[in-house]
Each structure stands twice: as C-alpha cells, then as structure tokens.
Amino acid sequence: NRSKSSESIRPSAKFDRNKADDPFAKKKLTNFAYVYKCGRIPCRINHGSVSHKLQWDIEPCNLDYDPLLLQMAEGLAECQHPYVFIASRGFKELLEAKGSHEKATPLTKKLVFILRQSLKSRNPDVFARALDGLQLLSTCVGPALDSHLSALLVQVNRKSLFKGLETKINETIEILAENGGDRAVKIIKTKVPTFSMC
C-alpha cells in the first residue's frame, strides 16, 4: 500500500488538485464541458506517470480554429478536472502551432470578449489562467490586440484583489507592451501610469 506521504509527492498529483467532474451528477454543464462530452474537442489526456499531455486526433496545425480556439478559451474558466487541463493545454498548443497567427488573428475580438469574462472572475485560479491565456494570445497575434487593451487592462490590473499574483499581472502587462509595440505602450501608460518597461 502506498503511504500518504508517497502519494502527496506523486509527480502528476498537481494535475489532480481540481475536483474531478462527476459523470453521473445531474447538473447543467458549462459550454466547454458539454462540447467536450459530445466529442467535439479533438483531443484527450494521455495520462503519464510523471506528467499528463494532450493527445490530438488531428495535429493542431491542421485544425480549423473557429470555433475550437474559442471553445478552449471558454474552458479557461473551468474549475473541474479534466476540463481545466484540457482547455489550458489545448489553448496553449493551438496558439503555438504552425500557422496559428493567421488562424487566431481574425478571432481576436471574440477571444478578448471570452478572456475578459474569466478576468472578471473572483477565483484566483481562473484569473491566473486567463492571464496566461492573454499572454499566449498576445504573443500569437501581436498588435492585433492593441485596440482592445483599454478594456482588457481594467480587468488585468487587479492587484488589490489578487494578492500574490502581482508578478504575473506585471509580466502580462509587459508582454502586452512588447508584442503590441509603441501604440500598446502609450495605451498601457494611460491605464497604468506607473508602468515602465524593464
């Protein structure tokens, strides 16, 4: 029998800290959970002894991003396993895949709307995942985010509410500035007067 101490240091345990979804519970599903259970998310978790990874039915570079990328973005607000891992990793891998810039840029406005909903969350885990998602989106689409910065920064710069996430918040703002260029820096300084590039 495994001891509690050995189980607590199991390498993949960090992926299981989110409450698992009960497939038999009668409840209203979130949009992401519904789409996933219907088999419309073309990937699944490959459970490893050390870490989990996604196994795609089709390589991300060959997928249509509309509506898949939008669905992954919605999944960043999930709080249950396996949805948290699938949405977070799926969003990342789609935005880092070959050809992602051309596919994601036309969806920027819709993605910003979805991410703003998660950034409004009072759940620190959801807020942190939304920041990670915004960083990835900024790196992918660059200046295409500039026209949305004013609205985004209202939610991003919530340091007083999320103690302990100040570093991630600052990092996100810096990434938005780096990827957005001079226009982004000007917009950021109007919303965050203390901002300065490191």
Side-chain angles (χ1 to χ4, degrees):
N1 294 334
R2 292 183 180 181
S3 66
K4 289 186 178 180
S5 59
S6 64
E7 181 67 15
S8 65
I9 59 173
R10 180 168 49 87
S12 63
K14 63 181 179 179
F15 298 112
D16 304 327
R17 69 188 183 96
N18 296 291
K19 182 180 178 182
D21 176 47
D22 181 354
F24 303 106
K26 293 183 178 180
K27 61 185 178 185
K28 183 177 180 181
L29 294 175
T30 61
N31 186 56
F32 182 81
Y34 174 78
V35 172
Y36 179 74
K37 287 193 172 185
C38 287
R40 284 154 44 190
I41 300 294
C43 61
R44 56 192 178 278
I45 296 180
N46 185 340
H47 296 276
S49 58
V50 176
S51 64
H52 299 340
K53 63 181 181 179
L54 286 188
Q55 183 172 327
W56 294 87
D57 300 330
I58 302 172
E59 287 298 314
C61 61
N62 295 323
L63 289 167
D64 185 349
Y65 279 23
D66 188 2
L68 180 59
L69 186 62
L70 303 174
Q71 292 164 340
M72 291 293 194
E74 289 179 325
L76 297 178
E78 293 287 345
C79 296
Q80 290 187 315
H81 180 78
Y83 311 129
V84 171
F85 180 81
I86 292 169
S88 300
R89 186 61 63 89
F91 192 72
K92 181 178 189 293
E93 292 187 10
L94 286 172
L95 287 178
E96 292 180 345
K98 183 179 179 181
S100 60
H101 175 79
E102 292 77 12
K103 294 180 180 180
T105 299
L107 301 175
T108 299
K109 184 176 180 179
K110 292 179 179 179
L111 288 167
V112 166
F113 177 81
I114 295 170
L115 288 174
R116 284 188 67 198
Q117 304 313 303
S118 292
L119 288 168
K120 292 177 182 177
S121 173
R122 299 183 70 85
N123 182 316
D125 291 334
V126 172
F127 180 75
R129 283 196 294 275
L131 290 178
D132 289 336
L134 185 55
Q135 291 181 18
L136 290 164
L137 181 62
S138 175
T139 300
C140 180
V141 305
L145 266 182
D146 288 358
S147 60
H148 305 284
L149 287 182
S150 293
L152 282 166
L153 288 167
V154 173
Q155 277 82 46
V156 169
N157 196 33
R158 299 167 72 193
K159 297 176 186 175
S160 61
L161 182 61
F162 294 108
K163 299 296 184 182
L165 288 176
E166 294 92 345
T167 298
K168 184 181 283 288
I169 289 171
N170 290 334
E171 178 185 75
T172 301
I173 294 173
E174 287 179 7
I175 288 173
L176 291 171
E178 290 171 3
N179 294 326
D182 292 341
R183 183 188 176 200
V185 172
K186 291 179 181 178
I187 295 171
I188 290 170
K189 285 185 175 180
T190 63
K191 295 293 182 179
V192 189
T194 58
F195 172 76
S196 62
M197 294 290 288
C198 296

